[in-house]
Amino acid sequence: MKTDFDFPNKYLIGPVVFRPDFNAQSEVISVNQAWSLFFTAGQEDKVFGFNTEAGRFFTNLLLAIGVAGVLWALLFNSMA
């Protein structure tokens, strides 16, 4: 039986953040890459593609949750 199942790169299976080609770049990762790495636990950096809207949405959502939490704490601490 002949198989063509050959992985030429030993880093093909594994987290993206530990691959030498990912770490060799001296460029800054985008917001989408950062959120993709977060949601996939470092396994893939292109889940959200190259459209920046998804990255902006999650960043703004995180900021809104933080601001709402601070306002909630301030409001209910002043009432007690």
Side-chain angles (χ1 to χ4, degrees), residues 1-30:
M1 177 161 93
K2 181 182 177 209
T3 63
D4 293 331
F5 195 67
D6 183 24
F7 291 119
N9 188 352
K10 68 178 181 175
Y11 300 108
L12 188 60
I13 300 174
V16 172
V17 293
F18 296 124
R19 293 181 190 164
D21 57 339
F22 182 79
N23 290 323
Q25 299 172 356
S26 61
E27 60 191 45
V28 178
I29 64 172
S30 69

Side-chain angles (χ1 to χ4, degrees), residues 2-68:
K2 181 182 177 209
T3 63
D4 293 331
F5 195 67
D6 183 24
F7 291 119
N9 188 352
K10 68 178 181 175
Y11 300 108
L12 188 60
I13 300 174
V16 172
V17 293
F18 296 124
R19 293 181 190 164
D21 57 339
F22 182 79
N23 290 323
Q25 299 172 356
S26 61
E27 60 191 45
V28 178
I29 64 172
S30 69
V31 177
N32 282 357
Q33 283 179 309
W35 281 110
S36 295
L37 289 169
F38 176 76
F39 284 123
T40 63
Q43 295 295 323
E44 185 60 46
D45 64 337
K46 294 175 181 64
V47 171
F48 293 124
F50 297 104
N51 188 0
T52 60
E53 292 300 319
R56 287 183 190 159
F57 171 74
F58 288 118
T59 301
N60 290 334
L61 182 67
L62 183 66
L63 290 173
I65 289 171
V67 169

